[in-house]
Amino acid sequence: DTGVSQDPRHKITKRGQNVTFRCDPISEHNRLYWYRQTLGQGPEFLTYFQNEAQLEKSRLLSDRFSAERPKGSFSTLEIQRTEQGDSAMYLCASSLALALPGEQFFGPGTRLTVL
Amino acid sequence: RKEVEQDPGPFNVPEGATVAFNCTYSNSASQSFFWYRQDCRKEPKLLMSVYSSGNEDGRFTAQLNRASQYISLLIRDSKLSDSATYLCVVSENTDKLIFGTGTRLQVFP
């Protein structure tokens, strides 16, 4: 158990609805990342935060996606006007800024199904 | 062309076998290299970092060839518990990880 938790674990929604996912990182970790993984593919980077600052966003992240980390602890990822192509596993990871490069701890993910 | 390319497999090997996975990356500016392991329906977990001089962790040996932009992972004396997907991962100057599609390994008795 890595200590990163995500909620909900599963979400089924209809096309056009908005959804919001939550990630609680390991408590002392100041970096938090969001990735998306589809079947047969590796995780794909979406965005990351150091404390409350969003430092990088993927070019692939459309305007319908927004992420926040208001107090530098938990983070939320919102998808507006969901599309069937948004169906995927959304993974959150956390790390310490001074940790070994690449040592990110992943949560169990939120599986989104858009009907 | 994908930034990180791997043979998706599956590699089906008997217990005790030695198996090797390869990976190539396209960005010569990549700075850091890793292998992650992902069990079915679970989250990825860091298996090991990969250093230019090569490094070993028990039955696992990782190699990096910067000139060829090639990374390998060798597993000796395969165990049933090694069955998983092995993800090749690179990173540039940021903390962003770039994952390959993964290579699936199935070890059978």
Side-chain angles (χ1 to χ4, degrees), chain B residues 74-86:
Chain B
L74 183 79
I75 305 176
R76 290 182 300 278
D77 189 23
S78 299
K79 311 291 185 191
L80 294 175
S81 57
D82 293 333
S83 298
T85 295
Y86 290 84

Side-chain angles (χ1 to χ4, degrees), chain B residues 25-33 66 69 90-94:
Chain B
Y25 60 96
S26 61
N27 188 347
S28 59
S30 298
Q31 297 288 323
S32 305
F33 310 89
R66 285 187 184 268
Q69 295 180 201
V90 306
S91 181
E92 297 160 13
N93 274 338
T94 72

Side-chain angles (χ1 to χ4, degrees), chain B residues 25-50:
Chain B
Y25 60 96
S26 61
N27 188 347
S28 59
S30 298
Q31 297 288 323
S32 305
F33 310 89
F34 315 94
W35 285 99
Y36 269 70
R37 170 189 168 134
Q38 187 170 26
D39 292 305
C40 188
R41 298 185 178 277
K42 297 285 192 180
E43 70 274 17
K45 292 185 179 179
L46 178 65
L47 178 66
M48 59 196 300
S49 300
V50 187

Side-chain angles (χ1 to χ4, degrees), chain A residues 6 15 22 30 40 57-58 69 85 91 93 96 102 110:
Chain A
Q6 293 186 244
R15 191 174 51 186
R22 176 180 170 124
N30 50 2
K57 285 176 62 172
S58 168
R69 195 182 183 198
L91 292 163
L96 282 169
T110 294

Side-chain angles (χ1 to χ4, degrees), chain A residues 5-22:
Chain A
S5 61
Q6 293 186 244
D7 183 69
R9 296 291 305 275
H10 303 274
K11 178 72 177 177
I12 300 174
T13 192
K14 292 183 178 178
R15 191 174 51 186
Q17 298 295 303
N18 299 344
V19 295
T20 300
F21 309 141
R22 176 180 170 124

Side-chain angles (χ1 to χ4, degrees), chain A residues 1-2 31 33 35 37 40-43 45 48 56 91 95 101-104 106-108 111, chain B residues 2 32 34 36 38 41-46 49 51 87 94-102:
Chain A
D1 187 337
T2 64
R31 288 192 172 174
Y33 313 80
Y35 293 85
Q37 186 173 25
Q41 301 297 315
F45 172 80
Y48 95 94
E56 188 171 349
L91 292 163
S95 73
E103 189 169 26
Q104 295 180 14
F106 283 80
R111 182 170 296 282
Chain B
K2 289 190 175 181
S32 305
F34 315 94
Y36 269 70
Q38 187 170 26
R41 298 185 178 277
K42 297 285 192 180
E43 70 274 17
K45 292 185 179 179
L46 178 65
S49 300
Y51 303 115
L87 297 158
T94 72
D95 236 3
K96 177 177 77 175
L97 299 182
I98 302 168
F99 288 80
T101 55

Side-chain angles (χ1 to χ4, degrees), chain A residues 11-15 19 21 36-39 44 64-65 79 82-90 110-115:
Chain A
K11 178 72 177 177
I12 300 174
T13 192
K14 292 183 178 178
R15 191 174 51 186
V19 295
F21 309 141
R36 176 173 64 189
Q37 186 173 25
T38 54
L39 196 62
E44 175 186 44
R64 297 184 297 104
F65 287 71
I79 309 174
T82 52
E83 301 173 356
Q84 287 185 324
D86 297 332
S87 295
M89 177 73 83
Y90 289 84
T110 294
R111 182 170 296 282
L112 173 66
T113 302
V114 182
L115 302 176

